[in-house]
Amino acid sequence: MQGHGYGQPVKQPPHTAWLVCLRVLFVALGILTIGFLAWVMLLRLAAVTRRSLDWGLFVAVLAADILSFTLVAMEPGDEIHTTGGYVGILLLLGTLVAAIAYYLAADIRHFLLQQQAYAARGAQAPAYGYPIPAAPYAATTVPTLPTPTAPTGPLTPTGPLTPAVPHTPPPPVSHTPVSQPPSATPPLQRPAPARIDQVRAELDELSDYLRQQDGHEGGR
């Protein structure tokens, strides 16, 4: 039982001109020999098609040619006068006409089907290394991915469990305050000497007044 694989390669048929030359050659060979070599056409056809029917017809034509040649050869004299001689001539000519008709029809049909199969094979199978050109305006099919389904049963660990690594928060970033230069304050202005003297005179007056008050209270 054969599996799936590559099919049999289709052989390229010969050129049509070459086939026509061969047909003319084999038909002329049968006509020029008055049918004695008509079996050659069937031999060539059976070798090309390799069919049992063609091989059987080849054997039948060969036997008919041998029989007709025997009947004609048994005729006494140079001319045909007996029934056997006439039967041999009719059998020979009839075999020749039938062989020519069948040979041409079967040979043309065989190579026509071979040319069609070769053309179809060439259209379906691209050259090696070149991809098949995409047809214009063809709908592009987007492949769909299968949807994962949640497990229904308890989960079974398939390997050693790895302890969870504690998450360490990053250290806080310290913001160093930028020292600002002290604001320039105006220097203290020293009081004028006249003001100091005035305050001092007032204090002296206040002291004299207090002494006088103390003296009056002591005299009483």
Side-chain angles (χ1 to χ4, degrees):
M1 182 175 181
Q2 291 183 341
H4 296 284
Y6 294 100
Q8 292 292 335
V10 180
K11 185 179 179 180
Q12 183 178 4
H15 197 271
T16 306
W18 175 249
L19 295 176
V20 172
C21 292
L22 290 178
R23 291 164 189 163
V24 172
L25 176 64
F26 283 103
V27 171
L29 182 63
I31 294 175
L32 293 177
T33 57
I34 318 174
F36 287 108
L37 294 180
W39 56 270
V40 178
M41 293 183 287
L42 275 299
L43 176 61
R44 195 259 173 179
L45 180 63
V48 170
T49 60
R50 299 179 181 181
R51 295 191 306 173
S52 302
L53 175 62
D54 295 334
W55 284 108
L57 291 177
F58 159 69
V59 174
V61 171
L62 180 61
D65 286 344
I66 294 175
L67 179 59
S68 60
F69 179 77
T70 303
L71 293 176
V72 173
M74 290 175 61
E75 185 71 20
D78 296 335
E79 296 181 359
I80 299 175
H81 299 285
T82 61
T83 306
Y86 288 114
V87 171
I89 291 296
L90 292 176
L91 180 61
L92 187 64
L93 296 179
T95 303
L96 175 62
V97 173
I100 292 175
Y102 181 79
Y103 166 71
L104 292 178
D107 191 72
I108 292 173
R109 182 177 67 252
H110 171 74
F111 284 104
L112 181 61
L113 294 176
Q114 189 175 1
Q115 289 177 356
Q116 293 177 355
Y118 180 78
R121 182 74 175 180
Q124 293 178 0
Y128 178 77
Y130 294 90
I132 300 177
Y137 305 103
T140 304
T141 304
V142 179
T144 57
L145 298 176
T147 305
T149 57
T152 56
L155 297 177
T156 303
T158 57
L161 297 178
T162 304
V165 179
H167 178 69
T168 304
V173 180
S174 60
H175 298 279
T176 303
V178 180
S179 59
Q180 298 180 356
S183 60
T185 57
L188 298 177
Q189 297 181 359
R190 299 180 63 182
R195 181 67 176 171
I196 295 176
D197 294 339
Q198 182 180 359
V199 172
R200 186 177 297 170
E202 292 178 354
L203 292 176
D204 292 338
E205 293 177 357
L206 180 60
S207 299
D208 295 337
Y209 177 75
L210 292 177
R211 289 192 193 99
Q212 291 176 4
Q213 291 291 335
D214 291 337
H216 288 302
E217 290 178 357
R220 292 178 185 175

